[in-house]
Amino acid sequence: MEANSSPAAAAGAVTPRWNVDRPFLTGRFHQEARVSAQRNSETKGFSVESFSSTGAEKAIGCYHASVQELIVIDDLLSALVGIEGRYTSIRRIHGKEDELTFQVDPSMDLALQELAKRIFPLCESYLLIDQFVESRSQFKKGLVNHAFAAALRALLLDYQAMVAQLEHQFRLCRLSLQGLWFYCQPMIGSMNALASVIQKASSNNYAGVDVLNLLQSQAKAMAGDHVVRTMLEKMAHCASSAYLEILERWLYEGVIDDPYGEFFIAENRTLQKESLTHDYDAKYWHQRYSLKDSIPSFLADVAGTILTTGKYLNVMRECGHNVQVRVSESSKLRNLGSNHQYLECIKAAYDFASGELLNLIREKYDLMGKLRSIKHYLLLDQGDFLVHFMDIAREELTKKAEDISVEKLQSLLDLALRSTAAAADPCHEDLTCCVERSTLLKRLSTLKDFEISKTISANNDLEEPASITGLETFSLSYKVQWPLSLVLSRKALTKYQLIFRFLFHCKHVSRQLCGAWQVHQGVRAANLKGTAVSRSSLLCRSMLKFMNSLLHYLTFEVIEPNWHVMSNRLQSAKSIDEVIQYHDLFLQKCLRECMLLLPELLKKMERLKLICLQYAAATQWLISSSVEITEPVLGSGRESVFRSSSKTLKFTENATVTDSILKFETEFNAELQSLGPILSNQSQAEPYLTHLAQWILGVGNEQ
C-alpha cells in the first residue's frame, strides 16, 4: 500500500492510491462500466440477449411467474445495496455520465416489472448517496463535507441494516414482492430528498458554507413533509458541528482555526498592526479580518457582530492581554434549532469582548488623556508653548520648505515644550514636528476621500505662491501606540494636522498684524488724522478684527462645542467601533465647520490672509516712508512738525505710500464684501456659518 507521492500530496494528506486504482474496495465498481457493455447498450439497446450474456443461463421470461418473483426479490435485495443481480443491471444514462439507472430483463412479467421499477428510485438514491460519501470523505473536501459524509454514512448503516432484515425475512420465505415494496415505500421520500440535495452539491462542487446553506434551504422547502424535513434538519445539524467549532474559537478566543478555508471570515496576515501609524486608509482594522461573500444563512443577520467580536478579542491578544470569554455548557454552540439559542450566545460573547476592550483602552491606555493632549497641541487649546515656539523658530520657519532643518525645528519644539506649562503634560514627548511639501489647498486636493479634492482639482483658480515657506507648511504630528492607533489612526491624525495647519497660519497672520498694529501705535502721539498713516491704521485695525473674529469662530464656535459633544458621547460608548465613529464624526464636523471642506469659502479666506500678510510685511516701509523721527525743529510750508518726548515725528506726504495703502484697502474690502454674500447664502445650508457671517459682515460694515 503505497501512498500518493505526487506534488499535491505534499500540500496535505490524501487517500492512498489504491483507493482509486482498485475501485472494488470503495463501492465504485458499478460505475466503471465496461466498454463492451456501453457499446452494446448504445448500439443494440437492452434486450434479452444482453442479460443472458451477463452469466444467466436463460431469460427470466422462461420461468413461471412465481419463480420470477423469487428471482426478482433476490435481485432487488442486491440492487438496494448497489449490486447488480442476474436480471437487473446498472447502466449510465446516455449523455449524463454521472447519473445511473437500473434496467430489468424485458422478458420479465409486466406486473413484476412495474413493482421492480417502483423500487428502483430507492436503489438509485442509495448509489448516489454512497458515491457522495466516498468522494466527500477525502481530506481535501473540507470539514463540513466530512461531517456531512459521516452523517450520511450513519444513515446508510441503518438503511443497510433494514436491507439485511428484509433479506433474513426472504430466506425464511416470509417476504413477497408486495411486502418488499411495502417496507421500502416509507424510505423512498427521504432517500430521494437526500439524493436531490447530493446531486446539487455534487454538480456544483459545493463545500463549506454552500453545503450548509443548501441543507437549510432544502429543509425549509420540505415544510409540508415533517419526516423529510426532520431528516434534513438533522443532516444540517450534523454537517454544521465542525463549522460551529470554528465559530466557537473565533467568538471565544479571537482565533481562526480554519484549515480548509471554509469559515466566512477571511484573515489577511500580510496586514500588521504597525501599519496603522502610516496607512491612511487604516486597512488593518477594516481588512485584516473581513467577511467573505458566502455566509451561512442562519448567521447572515449576525455576521457583522461575529466579525467584530473576534476582532475585539484579537486586539486584546495583540496587546498581550490574555482574555477569553467564559464558556459554560449552556453557551456552547451545538444546536441550530428554532429556539435560536446560538444567537443569545453570540450576543453574550460580543457584549463581553466589547466591554473588555473598551475598559482596556479607557483605563490602561487612557484614551481620553491622549485625546486631551492632542487637543492641547494640534487644536491649539494650550497656546503658550506655540507662542514661545513661533518666537524662537521664526528664523527657521521663514526659510523655503526645502531648506528647513526638521531636526532643528524638533529641538526648538522640545525647548518650547519644556519651557512652558506643557512640560507638566506626561504626553508632551509624543509630539513631533514635520514640514509638508505643499500648501494646505494642495494637500486637501490629494486626499481622495474628501469631496473638496475633486472641486479643487477641477477648478484650482487660486494662485499658488512661487515659493512656500515653513509658515505655510509647518505641522505637528503625534506618536500613537497600539491599540490607541485604532482610534487615532493615520487618517485621524491627518485630519488633525489639516485643522492645525489652518489654525497655525491664522495665528501667524494675526501675529504679523499685531506687529503692524504696534508699529502704528508707535506713531500714535502724532496728530495724523486725515493722512495716509491714519488710513493705514484703520485698515490694520479692520484686518486684525477680521483675523480675531475668524480665530474666535474656529476655536469657540467650532472646536470647543464639538469637543464637548464628542467627549460626552465617548463616555457613553458601548464599543470601540462607536468610539471610532464618534471620534471620526468630531473630526469631520470640525473640518467642515472650519471651512476646510468648503472650497469656495476656503479660497476666499486664503486670499484675505494673503492680503493681510502682504500688508503686514509692507507696514514698516509704509510708516518709515511717511513718518521721520528727527530732532525738534520748527516746520513751515506744507510740512507738519509734531513733538514727541525729546524727538519729533515729521509726516511727509508720499504718493507711492498713499497709493499702496489705497490698493491694500481696496483689495481687502473687495474680498471682504464678496465674502459676505457667500457666507449669507451658505449659512442657509450650513447653519454653523451664521455666527461667522455676523462677525465678518460686522467688520465689512465698519468699512
Side-chain angles (χ1 to χ4, degrees), residues 291-524:
L291 294 175
K292 296 179 181 177
D293 293 333
S294 297
I295 300 175
S297 57
F298 58 91
L299 296 176
D301 293 337
V302 291
T305 303
I306 294 170
L307 172 66
T308 305
T309 302
K311 283 169 66 175
Y312 290 169
L313 294 173
N314 184 65
V315 169
M316 287 185 279
R317 194 175 65 252
E318 292 274 6
C319 295
H321 186 71
N322 247 334
V323 63
Q324 186 173 348
V325 180
R326 292 180 293 274
V327 183
S328 61
E329 286 299 319
S330 61
S331 62
K332 288 187 176 180
L333 302 176
R334 294 177 176 174
N335 189 5
L336 300 179
S338 56
N339 59 355
H340 300 301
Q341 176 262 349
Y342 66 95
L343 296 178
E344 297 176 2
C345 296
I346 292 170
K347 185 179 184 304
Y350 170 79
D351 292 341
F352 175 82
S354 177
E356 286 290 316
L357 179 58
L358 202 56
N359 289 335
L360 184 71
I361 287 182
R362 279 176 176 169
E363 305 299 331
K364 183 177 179 179
Y365 293 96
D366 190 19
L367 173 64
M368 287 307 300
K370 287 287 183 182
L371 290 176
R372 279 191 293 269
S373 179
I374 289 177
K375 179 172 180 275
H376 289 332
Y377 303 126
L378 271 73
L379 301 183
L380 306 188
D381 181 52
Q382 198 173 54
D384 56 339
F385 90 94
L386 185 68
V387 172
H388 185 39
F389 172 74
M390 294 178 79
D391 287 336
I392 62 178
R394 180 186 306 167
E395 182 181 349
E396 196 69 23
L397 289 174
T398 52
K399 295 180 181 178
K400 293 182 180 180
E402 57 270 16
D403 298 332
I404 293 176
S405 171
V406 180
E407 293 78 11
K408 185 175 181 179
L409 278 181
Q410 183 64 50
S411 64
L412 293 173
L413 177 64
D414 293 339
L415 177 61
L417 289 170
R418 290 194 298 268
S419 306
T420 58
D425 181 9
C427 302
H428 77 271
E429 294 182 356
D430 294 329
L431 196 65
T432 61
C433 65
C434 58
V435 178
E436 301 285 349
R437 297 300 176 189
S438 59
T439 62
L440 181 61
L441 274 169
K442 283 290 185 184
R443 179 65 176 137
L444 283 166
S445 67
T446 61
L447 301 177
K448 57 187 177 182
D449 59 328
F450 285 179
E451 56 194 41
I452 186 177
S453 61
K454 298 179 181 178
T455 308
I456 294 177
S457 300
N459 185 25
N460 194 3
D461 55 359
L462 183 71
E463 294 182 5
E464 291 291 327
S467 61
I468 54 177
T469 65
L471 293 165
E472 287 84 25
T473 58
F474 175 77
S475 182
L476 294 178
S477 188
Y478 203 86
K479 296 177 184 176
V480 182
Q481 302 299 324
W482 173 265
L484 292 182
S485 53
L486 290 173
V487 181
L488 296 168
S489 62
R490 179 70 263 166
K491 179 184 255 185
L493 286 177
T494 299
K495 293 178 179 179
Y496 274 115
Q497 288 176 325
L498 292 172
I499 299 171
F500 171 81
R501 288 183 64 182
F502 189 53
L503 289 172
F504 179 80
H505 196 251
C506 288
K507 283 279 188 183
H508 164 64
V509 175
S510 179
R511 280 168 56 88
Q512 294 301 105
L513 289 174
C514 284
W517 179 252
Q518 289 175 356
V519 172
H520 283 89
Q521 292 299 96
V523 296
R524 186 178 59 176

Side-chain angles (χ1 to χ4, degrees), residues 203-214:
S203 60
N204 295 291
N205 198 26
Y206 282 162
V209 172
D210 295 326
V211 173
L212 296 179
N213 286 339
L214 178 62

Side-chain angles (χ1 to χ4, degrees), residues 432-692:
T432 61
C433 65
C434 58
V435 178
E436 301 285 349
R437 297 300 176 189
S438 59
T439 62
L440 181 61
L441 274 169
K442 283 290 185 184
R443 179 65 176 137
L444 283 166
S445 67
T446 61
L447 301 177
K448 57 187 177 182
D449 59 328
F450 285 179
E451 56 194 41
I452 186 177
S453 61
K454 298 179 181 178
T455 308
I456 294 177
S457 300
N459 185 25
N460 194 3
D461 55 359
L462 183 71
E463 294 182 5
E464 291 291 327
S467 61
I468 54 177
T469 65
L471 293 165
E472 287 84 25
T473 58
F474 175 77
S475 182
L476 294 178
S477 188
Y478 203 86
K479 296 177 184 176
V480 182
Q481 302 299 324
W482 173 265
L484 292 182
S485 53
L486 290 173
V487 181
L488 296 168
S489 62
R490 179 70 263 166
K491 179 184 255 185
L493 286 177
T494 299
K495 293 178 179 179
Y496 274 115
Q497 288 176 325
L498 292 172
I499 299 171
F500 171 81
R501 288 183 64 182
F502 189 53
L503 289 172
F504 179 80
H505 196 251
C506 288
K507 283 279 188 183
H508 164 64
V509 175
S510 179
R511 280 168 56 88
Q512 294 301 105
L513 289 174
C514 284
W517 179 252
Q518 289 175 356
V519 172
H520 283 89
Q521 292 299 96
V523 296
R524 186 178 59 176
N527 185 15
L528 303 175
K529 290 183 179 180
T531 64
V533 175
S534 174
R535 197 177 193 92
S536 175
S537 178
L538 291 173
L539 176 60
C540 184
R541 189 179 68 175
S542 297
M543 288 182 173
L544 196 54
K545 185 174 182 181
F546 164 73
M547 288 308 304
N548 288 338
S549 299
L550 179 59
L551 281 169
H552 180 276
Y553 165 77
L554 295 175
T555 52
F556 294 103
E557 302 285 348
V558 175
I559 294 175
E560 284 299 329
N562 286 321
W563 170 267
H564 286 297
V565 171
M566 179 195 69
S567 181
N568 292 333
R569 285 177 172 175
L570 292 186
Q571 296 300 326
S572 60
K574 302 297 184 184
S575 69
I576 191 65
D577 279 302
E578 287 188 10
V579 170
I580 295 172
Q581 178 187 350
Y582 294 148
H583 183 246
D584 287 346
L585 182 61
F586 161 73
L587 289 174
Q588 197 68 16
K589 285 196 70 178
C590 285
L591 282 170
R592 177 165 288 278
E593 294 181 16
C594 286
M595 297 170 288
L596 294 175
L597 301 184
L598 302 173
E600 187 179 9
L601 274 176
L602 184 58
K603 290 177 184 179
K604 284 290 181 184
M605 292 297 177
E606 292 298 312
R607 178 61 184 162
L608 281 165
K609 287 194 296 177
L610 181 60
I611 295 172
C612 291
L613 282 176
Q614 290 172 347
Y615 168 77
T619 299
Q620 189 66 42
W621 169 78
L622 293 173
I623 298 301
S624 61
S625 299
S626 302
V627 179
E628 294 181 7
I629 303 176
T630 61
E631 294 299 325
V633 293
L634 293 175
S636 61
R638 298 180 62 185
E639 294 184 349
S640 302
V641 180
F642 306 98
R643 183 179 301 273
S644 175
S645 300
S646 60
K647 295 183 180 180
T648 303
L649 302 176
K650 185 173 65 173
F651 171 72
T652 305
E653 289 187 5
N654 188 320
T656 305
V657 171
T658 303
D659 291 342
S660 297
I661 293 174
L662 286 173
K663 181 182 177 184
F664 281 125
E665 184 179 9
T666 303
E667 288 184 1
F668 179 73
N669 288 337
E671 291 293 336
L672 200 60
Q673 292 300 324
S674 65
L675 179 63
I678 297 175
L679 280 172
S680 298
N681 293 334
Q682 294 207 8
S683 62
Q684 297 176 5
E686 312 286 351
Y688 50 82
L689 294 175
T690 304
H691 295 290
L692 180 61

